[in-house]
Amino acid sequence: METRVIGKSVPRKEGRKKVTGRARYVDDLSFPGMLHGVTVRSPAARGRIRAIRFEGEIPWHEFTVVTAKDIPGKNCIALLIEDQPCLAAEFVNHPEEAIVLLAHHDKYLLEEARRAVRIEIEPLPAIFSIEDSRARKEIIWGQDNIFKSFCVDKGDVDGAWASAAFVVEGRYETGAQEQLYIEPQGMIAQVSEAEGVTVWGSLQCPHYVHKALMVLFGLPRERIRVVQTETGGGFGGKEEYPSMIAAHAALLARKSGRPVKIIYDRAEDMVATTKRHPSRTRHVTALSRDGRLLAMDIDFTVDGGAYETLSPVVLSRGTIHAAGPYACPNVRIRSRAVATNAPPHGAFRGFGAPQSVFALERHLDRVAEAVGIAPDELRRRNFIREGQTLAVGQVVKEKVDMNGLMERAFALSGYHAKRKKFAAANSDPRGAIKKGIGFASFLHGAGFTGSGEEYLASEVAMEAMADGTVHILAGSTEMGQGTNTIFAQIAAEALRLDCEQIKIIQPDTAYVANSGPTVASRTAMIVGKLVETAGLGLLKSLTDGEFLQPGYTAADFSRACGEYVAKHGPLKTFVKYEHPRDLHWDDLKYSGDAYGAYAWAVYVAEVSVDIRTAEVRVNDFVAVQEVGKVINPVLAAGQIEGGVAQGIGFALYENVVWQEGRMVNAQMTNYVMPTSVDLPAIRVYFEEIPYGRGPAGAKGLGELPLDGTAPAIANAIAQATGVDVRQIPITAETLLEMLEGVHA
Amino acid sequence: MRAYLPAYEMETPRDLEAALGRMASEPGVWRPFAGGTDLMVLLEAGKLPHQKFLNIWNLAELRGMEVSSEHVTLGALTTYTEVQRNKTLLREFPLLCRAAAETGSVATQNRGTLGGNIANASPAADSPPALIVYDAEIEIVSAGGSRWVHYASFHTEYKKMNLHAGELIRRIRLLRTHAQWKQYFRKVGTRRAQAISKICFAGAARVEAGRIADVRIALGSVAPTVLHAVRVEELLRGQRPGSAVLQAAQDALNAEIAPIDDMRSTAPYRRNVARNLLAEFLEVLAG
Amino acid sequence: MPERARKIRVSCVVNGGAASFEAYPMARLLDVLREELKLTGTKEGCGEGECGACSIEMDGALVNSCLVPALQAQGTKIRTIEGLAIGGSLHAVQQAFLTHGGAQCGICTPGMILAAANLLARYPQPDDAQIREGLSGNLCRCTGYMKIFESVVAAVRRAETRA
């Protein structure tokens, strides 16, 4: 299909503002009479609040002080349920839980005041590990410490063991990971009788914040307004937590009668906000003599922290992705999200899948070894094909060619030759540098899981102005990933215009349609399709009314818009998501069409390990994926490259050091992400098989790269060193210890 | 930014004499402030206890580099960037240049100074092991005069040093006798750029007729202060660098260091890597 | 409250023009630029000299403005992201970042672009290692740096074709 702007690397819509420093992020905004706000947090992991004392030589009368008593509505951050308080009133359930809020115009004095608030807590026993939570050492949430559990059953796993030639077992762990967007979180709030509650801030999901504020203030929809400011990265970290900061800023604004700005510094952002859920996975896998999967028995647990937040849905995605892109007749997945007394873990790009995919892809390399075939041969014999059924019972209707992706990735990386060469070189005991090459093959579902999109029922509005400018009104946010640009491209394509004629309206709940949260690799595919449909709808209005004839120019379009508006008034279309009738999902059985479409990928990592220091270096990285039609090649490649970089961090560098539920290395100096000298060339390739229901054939790709990067690296390290890597991050400290075992 | 700014004073003295005079008039009250790469970090975290600072960044007496036939003398305010650009240092004192290149980022190297690195007294600092290997001397000045001390004995215990109230590090002097020595430097951090070292090893030796005639070894991040491995040096002098002496040298090193577990690494890791780097150093000497 | 310090007046040259402000002597230059001089293009990412989002040029040298006390700005020449484009015409590095996907969320971008411009002033023809080293103090969480390297290379090429 010939396209005008789809498939072209048009420059980022808001790029000029960003490269000149004119883009305005929340901390760049200042309102007349604005106060600054800070949060005073729990020093203890779990306990009863005994007393709050305001000490020191602080002019306390100048301060606005807010506690739970000042909340007009319900004391909660409403999300899936309402278990997380906005401010702890009687009990605290994790370190750094918010208890008191302070506001003052002098931000230096404010810090002095924050230090002078003494919170006395009578400690209660706390739990800090998945093991202790599952063992119910203490019950800290609900009846059993379990936020949510899932059972996926396909075929008859128990009936498969007897006929198996091989049964391979393994346990795998992944650690917490900080999103580490470079712009720390922040919000500004203003509250007045006339206007209700308005917040401006760095966020992914304006309508999540909107809902939370309605419940907190007990106000109707129209009395709450949420505006997204330019957002300096999110990666899931600004999915649910911004509701908390917005709530705090709004409470201070309400009490003080002034606008209040809360900006977290890096230390507070790291210690208090969400991280990727730590996980434990156990696999037991049965195979035939010729290496075909007979049964996969998977047990998957994630640590949700102290409150439920998004853990059930993170668990869901992790569960559904746990069995990978393989055809196996018998699959059982048991999974659960459990409570511990750590700050709630939350959304992070990949959303549970990177955890379970790490376990699976590392496990399959071990399985191949047990069966006595090459890792690629094991995958080749078991890759899912069109018409076959995934673990959750979804029949694959897409044209999928995992083997083709794998062969292309191998050709581009020189996989086979290197695997051989490294094996020979590594056997020389004198060499201090060992090399390895490894890969992972995986899939990632785009959009909300199961019936999620049906419930969301997203909307997009589009309006053509009299001058021919076309406005897109959607709550989908730009946070670097390219929403503005691809929406403009999709609309421009539908309307046969240039991107310059399309204007993206700043997400503001007072004006834009609720197009759902900007998460779950859903924006391009699901919301993008709504944009396309809206564009075609506008066009139809113009052509049906004979304002516009085929073969029109941009000038014709503008003239037609002017004439239409003069005659009929505003030219606006609303489009609402309609769930395809052939997609079925059963929430009780946890079975059916989990996602409308999947992205498919094979990633190859090449590493070297200095066995003197156990330092690992990734020397080359090839990422091959099929993501449907690529809307903007530069932006799409940028998404994959950035995701791979985060995956390299997840695998090797990023280690949250916990002490009694508190992150103790909450500084960029001590929580280490990759710099420009730590990364290899990240080589990205797309296969494009247009997906019928995506805009111009596009599927989602944002989360995909987090899934396969870490296991590819772990598998490469295993080849290089002979170490059976079972957990990430693979720090030099743990690897050196394991190397001593191998080489002793 | 968590500091209460009105509590912090800072003055710019017009010259070194004025600075020393100020420090002498209120001993222990005024703390020198150079490139700020350590102190500002503490300030921002709300953890900077000292409250009066003398801005010495522009004092000409603390800048510059002199090369004589015997010495290279560096002003205390010599930045890491200046260290890396100096041809004499690159030729004769590569360990110092490597340390400078591996300290922080370009921006840090433009502001961080040798004197500051010494006075900050961190056992994880990158340039001190190199300075010990080169047997650097430092000139300490006060209103009362000046004294030279061997840098190797300057740090006495964790964050403690042989520097009294009213004193300031003025210059660092390196003997130009190491140019022909075989030299080895390796810093191990969590990543390759701007990492704080988990362990840092600097070594140099004069090898004559296959034997180690003289040797200097120092390590960072393995003890409360940067460590001068004197016992390992003693053991290696006169020996051939090879497997015969390796085990004994590693045992000596193991006895000499006292690494700890912290949020950056573990004591066993530091012990093992120290041993392995010593082996690598000896390979360099043998090669 | 212990209050010893008084605000001082500091004069310097910012983006080619005379600037003067009042600040506590140990106020961060970062805050002064953003709050007193309203130059909000310089960003705070970590507040400890680690991320480089606050990178500016001071007397031609790249520095982290979060680590420079206001007092030390006295008499210096400062360049921020706002001083890079001349009139409406983008600096070669800015143009390259725009065209080659060097900016995603944009928060590291001002510091990254200053670091890149500073690198090109020191090494007009940088090799891959020099680009990587020169930018290693500027953390980017979005791009994985690849498009940033491409942008720098493109800026060099553009400068070459102009010369």
Side-chain angles (χ1 to χ4, degrees):
Chain A
M1 191 178 72
E2 192 60 31
T3 55
R4 292 168 52 90
V5 286
I6 296 270
K8 310 258 188 319
S9 293
V10 303
R12 173 175 290 280
K13 194 89 180 151
E14 75 291 354
R16 206 178 163 91
K17 280 194 295 180
K18 285 177 172 173
V19 301
T20 53
R22 285 186 296 109
R24 305 276 272 167
Y25 299 79
V26 61
D27 198 22
D28 302 337
L29 305 179
S30 188
F31 291 15
M34 189 176 78
L35 306 180
H36 298 278
V38 293
T39 313
V40 189
R41 300 176 177 283
S42 171
R46 184 162 178 252
R48 180 192 294 269
I49 300 170
R50 277 284 177 221
I52 300 170
R53 275 194 258 284
F54 298 87
E55 301 179 343
E57 303 167 42
I58 306 289
W60 286 111
H61 62 280
E62 295 176 10
F63 284 75
T64 302
V65 179
V66 163
T67 63
K69 291 198 285 284
D70 296 296
I71 293 170
K74 240 175 148 171
N75 181 8
C76 70
I77 301 299
L79 193 58
L80 298 172
I81 60 169
E82 299 181 348
D83 68 325
Q84 183 179 26
C86 170
L87 291 167
E90 194 183 349
F91 292 98
V92 291
N93 287 302
H94 64 80
E96 310 297 336
E97 187 163 2
I99 299 172
V100 178
L101 307 168
L102 305 174
H104 195 274
H105 64 85
D106 178 344
K107 58 181 177 178
Y108 303 118
L109 185 59
L110 193 55
E111 287 295 343
E112 203 71 352
R114 169 148 66 170
R115 280 187 282 270
V117 180
R118 294 274 169 276
I119 295 176
E120 248 177 62
I121 290 179
E122 176 193 334
L124 289 168
I127 51 176
F128 303 111
S129 69
I130 285 176
E131 291 72 23
D132 286 351
S133 181
R134 290 196 69 183
R136 303 182 192 180
K137 211 169 150 189
E138 289 292 327
I139 299 294
I140 61 159
W141 197 90
Q143 305 300 307
D144 53 8
N145 291 339
I146 294 178
F147 293 122
K148 183 77 182 175
S149 57
F150 292 113
C151 304
V152 170
D153 285 294
K154 178 189 178 193
D156 174 16
V157 166
D158 288 324
W161 307 120
S163 60
F166 305 95
V167 175
V168 186
E169 191 265 349
R171 289 167 194 271
Y172 307 88
E173 293 182 15
T174 64
Q177 185 185 19
E178 165 61 35
Q179 293 89 355
L180 215 68
Y181 32 74
I182 306 293
E183 180 209 23
Q185 304 227 20
M187 285 281 170
I188 300 173
Q190 189 155 26
V191 177
S192 71
E193 270 308 313
E195 311 248 315
V197 179
T198 309
V199 297
W200 295 260
S202 181
L203 55 93
Q204 284 179 231
C205 308
H207 291 88
Y208 281 6
V209 178
H210 189 264
K211 173 182 163 183
L213 292 178
M214 277 169 58
V215 176
L216 185 80
F217 281 85
L219 286 174
R221 188 171 300 279
E222 65 278 5
R223 302 281 291 157
I224 309 278
R225 182 180 161 209
V226 180
V227 187
Q228 185 219 7
T229 52
E230 199 74 65
T231 295
F235 318 116
K238 293 172 184 171
E239 177 168 348
E240 71 273 39
Y241 202 86
S243 298
M244 178 73 82
I245 310 176
H248 291 168
L251 288 172
L252 284 167
R254 177 175 177 268
K255 192 158 182 186
S256 66
R258 311 265 290 269
V260 175
K261 181 197 260 190
I262 296 181
I263 304 288
Y264 284 4
D265 67 8
R266 181 58 59 184
E268 183 167 23
D269 193 302
M270 289 179 103
V271 86
T273 74
T274 61
K275 320 239 168 311
R276 186 186 298 290
H277 289 66
S279 79
R280 305 273 185 281
T281 308
R282 176 171 179 264
H283 275 271
V284 186
T285 310
L287 297 104
S288 66
R289 185 147 310 282
D290 64 349
R292 285 182 204 281
L293 290 169
L294 297 178
M296 301 169 85
D297 193 1
I298 305 170
D299 188 276
F300 177 57
T301 308
V302 298
D303 175 353
Y307 297 106
E308 187 188 88
T309 63
L310 291 171
S311 289
V313 264
V314 169
L315 180 72
S316 157
R317 190 171 277 268
T319 302
I320 291 170
H321 287 74
Y326 304 103
C328 178
N330 307 297
V331 181
R332 175 166 60 205
I333 308 171
R334 294 286 176 270
S335 67
R336 65 210 64 76
V338 302
T340 62
N341 293 109
H345 296 297
F348 189 166
R349 200 173 183 182
F351 212 69
Q355 291 93 317
S356 62
V357 174
F358 167 75
L360 175 65
E361 286 301 301
R362 179 66 200 116
H363 181 65
L364 288 186
D365 264 33
R366 296 180 58 251
V367 167
E369 198 180 341
V371 173
I373 57 176
D376 53 307
E377 190 51 39
L378 176 75
R379 266 79 163 195
R380 194 171 289 115
R381 289 179 193 177
N382 292 288
F383 275 143
I384 196 139
R385 292 186 303 274
E386 201 178 338
Q388 291 184 316
T389 310
L390 289 162
V392 288
Q394 178 167 17
V395 177
V396 175
K397 291 169 192 153
E398 301 178 59
K399 291 193 190 330
V400 50
D401 180 12
M402 286 298 293
N403 197 45
L405 295 177
M406 186 168 77
E407 293 307 331
R408 188 170 177 206
F410 285 175
L412 288 160
S413 60
Y415 173 84
H416 290 295
K418 280 180 175 164
R419 188 134 178 122
K420 224 161 136 182
K421 187 176 101 184
F422 295 160
N426 290 341
S427 63
D428 180 350
R430 289 166 304 175
I433 307 292
K434 307 292 184 191
K435 288 189 173 179
I437 189 163
F439 73 96
S441 39
F442 54 103
L443 79 179
H444 195 95
F448 261 34
T449 302
S451 33
E453 291 295 345
E454 201 172 355
Y455 291 129
L456 270 181
S458 299
E459 293 178 326
V460 163
M462 192 180 284
E463 181 170 8
M465 313 311 282
D467 68 351
T469 308
V470 175
H471 290 184
I472 299 176
L473 298 109
S476 301
T477 51
E478 171 67 56
M479 47 195 156
Q481 85 286 33
T483 302
N484 291 346
T485 313
I486 61 160
F487 277 8
Q489 284 178 273
I490 292 166
E493 189 72 44
L495 293 162
R496 283 168 247 161
L497 300 171
D498 289 332
C499 291
E500 289 69 30
Q501 207 160 338
I502 314 295
K503 189 174 174 195
I504 313 293
I505 301 303
Q506 179 180 34
D508 177 334
T509 56
Y511 300 104
V512 303
N514 183 356
S515 57
T518 306
V519 304
S521 306
R522 65 183 295 277
T523 302
M525 187 176 99
I526 302 280
V527 188
K529 186 68 186 178
L530 300 180
V531 170
E532 185 182 67
T533 309
L536 294 173
L538 271 190
L539 193 56
K540 191 165 183 306
S541 299
L542 289 172
T543 50
D544 283 359
E546 298 190 347
F547 293 93
L548 202 57
Q549 312 304 325
Y552 60 87
T553 64
D556 295 338
F557 180 86
S558 300
R559 181 193 41 75
C561 291
E563 288 171 11
Y564 183 102
V565 171
K567 188 168 173 192
H568 298 298
L571 172 49
K572 204 165 176 181
T573 53
F574 287 93
V575 178
K576 191 165 187 163
Y577 176 81
E578 282 176 39
H579 202 60
R581 291 202 186 151
D582 59 333
L583 293 183
H584 302 286
W585 178 255
D586 183 334
D587 247 328
L588 288 176
K589 289 188 188 149
Y590 229 63
S591 144
D593 296 308
Y595 302 98
Y598 293 86
W600 310 88
V602 176
Y603 285 5
V604 181
E606 183 187 327
V607 305
S608 54
V609 181
D610 186 330
I611 60 167
R612 291 185 156 136
T613 59
E615 289 168 291
V616 179
R617 181 157 179 73
V618 184
N619 296 322
D620 189 25
F621 201 97
V622 169
V624 176
Q625 48 257 304
E626 194 280 292
V627 296
K629 176 69 184 169
V630 172
I631 296 172
N632 184 316
V634 163
L635 293 188
Q639 281 295 288
I640 302 298
E641 289 159 5
V644 168
Q646 291 177 358
I648 291 174
F650 184 41
L652 295 177
Y653 299 106
E654 299 182 28
N655 188 28
V656 176
V657 182
W658 296 103
Q659 228 167 57
E660 308 229 303
R662 178 181 277 107
M663 180 184 190
V664 291
N665 56 336
Q667 292 168 281
M668 275 193 171
T669 312
N670 291 318
Y671 178 84
V672 170
M673 65 163 270
T675 71
S676 54
V677 296
D678 296 301
L679 297 174
I682 299 169
R683 301 190 282 143
V684 176
Y685 303 88
F686 293 107
E687 292 284 340
E688 298 179 67
I689 301 175
Y691 166 58
R693 292 184 172 129
K699 297 192 285 193
L701 61 78
E703 297 174 289
L704 175 77
L706 259 300
D707 291 359
T709 301
I713 290 169
N715 287 336
I717 292 172
Q719 195 213 354
T721 60
V723 164
D724 182 5
V725 176
R726 299 290 194 95
Q727 71 181 69
I728 51 172
I730 309 157
T731 65
E733 284 72 18
T734 52
L735 186 58
L736 192 72
E737 220 170 279
M738 294 175 84
L739 279 167
E740 306 273 311
V742 171
H743 294 271
Chain B
M1 173 64 175
R2 299 192 180 187
Y4 182 60
L5 278 183
Y8 294 92
E9 281 184 70
M10 187 185 259
E11 288 181 4
T12 304
R14 68 176 185 283
D15 56 17
L16 179 60
E17 196 189 336
L20 296 176
R22 198 78 167 111
M23 289 170 74
S25 68
E26 293 176 85
V29 170
W30 292 86
R31 186 167 178 190
F33 185 109
T37 52
D38 288 312
L39 295 177
M40 287 299 282
V41 175
L42 288 176
L43 179 84
E44 301 196 14
K47 291 176 181 164
L48 185 63
H50 227 89
Q51 293 179 327
K52 292 191 174 194
F53 294 89
L54 281 177
N55 168 28
I56 59 170
W57 180 248
N58 293 317
L59 294 185
E61 298 94 326
L62 305 181
R63 291 205 171 269
M65 214 177 285
E66 284 168 37
V67 182
S68 71
S69 56
E70 281 177 31
H71 294 112
V72 173
T73 307
L74 308 167
L77 293 179
T78 301
T79 64
Y80 302 116
T81 300
E82 288 164 344
V83 166
Q84 294 168 73
R85 285 182 189 164
N86 184 278
K87 295 219 161 54
T88 308
L89 292 179
L90 283 167
R91 202 167 47 239
E92 299 177 27
F93 302 94
L95 306 184
L96 188 61
C97 298
R98 282 282 302 282
E102 294 193 25
T103 301
S105 62
V106 172
T108 316
Q109 291 165 15
N110 284 337
R111 296 273 301 171
T113 64
L114 285 180
N117 207 209
I118 291 170
N120 189 49
S122 164
D126 296 322
S127 56
L131 294 175
I132 289 177
V133 166
Y134 295 134
D135 200 8
E137 296 169 284
I138 57 180
E139 186 189 12
I140 294 166
V141 291
S142 65
S146 140
R147 62 190 176 105
W148 284 91
V149 299
H150 276 281
Y151 178 60
S153 58
F154 180 69
H155 298 290
T156 51
E157 53 192 287
Y158 181 69
K159 289 265 179 187
K160 294 258 161 65
M161 61 201 135
N162 178 8
L163 188 71
H164 309 297
E167 288 188 325
L168 186 65
I169 299 166
R170 182 177 180 188
R171 291 186 289 183
I172 298 126
R173 186 163 76 190
L174 307 170
L175 263 173
R176 298 181 67 188
T177 50
H178 296 90
Q180 304 308 315
W181 289 36
K182 289 192 172 177
Q183 309 198 17
Y184 169 86
F185 178 87
R186 187 154 177 193
K187 170 180 167 176
V188 179
T190 301
R191 65 183 170 206
R192 287 161 60 98
Q194 57 167 3
I196 294 179
S197 90
K198 298 196 287 197
I199 175 167
C200 175
F201 188 113
R206 186 158 51 83
V207 182
E208 287 173 357
R211 287 186 187 275
I212 298 169
D214 201 358
V215 62
R216 302 273 299 181
I217 295 171
L219 295 91
S221 301
V222 295
T225 66
V226 173
L227 182 94
H228 181 198
V230 286
R231 276 178 276 170
V232 182
E233 291 176 358
E234 268 167 38
L235 195 138
L236 288 174
R237 279 195 194 97
Q239 303 290 326
R240 289 184 182 280
S243 48
V245 74
L246 178 62
Q247 185 64 51
Q250 286 177 326
D251 290 346
L253 182 62
N254 199 41
E256 212 161 3
I257 63 179
I260 56 164
D261 287 334
D262 60 18
M263 67 177 125
R264 294 190 193 111
S265 191
T266 64
Y269 179 81
R270 289 173 162 128
R271 281 197 183 278
N272 284 333
V273 172
R275 262 211 299 272
N276 293 344
L277 297 186
L278 179 60
E280 195 168 77
F281 174 51
L282 291 183
E283 278 172 33
V284 168
L285 299 187
Chain C
M1 296 303 306
E3 233 175 276
R4 295 207 193 87
R6 259 186 248 150
K7 286 192 175 179
I8 50 164
R9 179 151 286 280
V10 176
S11 301
C12 51
V13 173
V14 179
N15 297 330
S20 175
F21 55 82
E22 277 197 358
Y24 287 108
M26 286 186 75
R28 305 184 299 179
L29 182 55
L30 167 65
D31 294 329
V32 171
L33 290 170
R34 290 176 51 82
E35 291 164 19
E36 304 300 320
L37 304 180
K38 310 293 177 202
L39 296 170
T40 54
T42 304
K43 305 301 183 191
E44 172 167 359
C46 70
E48 52 173 345
E50 192 72 14
C51 76
C54 68
S55 300
I56 59 162
E57 279 182 347
M58 201 169 160
D59 292 332
L62 193 73
V63 303
N64 291 316
S65 62
C66 75
L67 298 185
V68 177
L71 178 85
Q72 290 189 337
Q74 174 62 39
T76 61
K77 284 200 179 79
I78 287 165
R79 183 163 74 151
T80 69
I81 188 68
E82 289 90 348
L84 232 59
I86 298 165
S89 155
L90 297 181
H91 185 281
V93 174
Q94 289 173 311
Q95 184 60 53
F97 269 63
L98 184 55
T99 312
H100 296 272
Q104 287 193 21
C105 85
I107 199 81
C108 76
T109 307
M112 190 71 79
I113 286 178
L114 275 160
N118 187 270
L119 170 77
L120 296 185
R122 288 177 288 130
Y123 303 101
Q125 308 276 338
D127 60 25
D128 181 63
Q130 285 166 331
I131 294 173
R132 284 171 175 265
E133 288 287 341
L135 303 180
S136 67
N138 294 77
L139 300 180
C140 172
R141 190 60 156 171
C142 292
T143 62
Y145 307 104
M146 299 299 129
K147 298 273 177 278
I148 290 173
F149 302 154
E150 286 169 34
S151 300
V152 174
V153 170
V156 171
R157 268 203 313 269
R158 201 173 116 120
E160 277 170 6
T161 44
R162 281 197 171 174

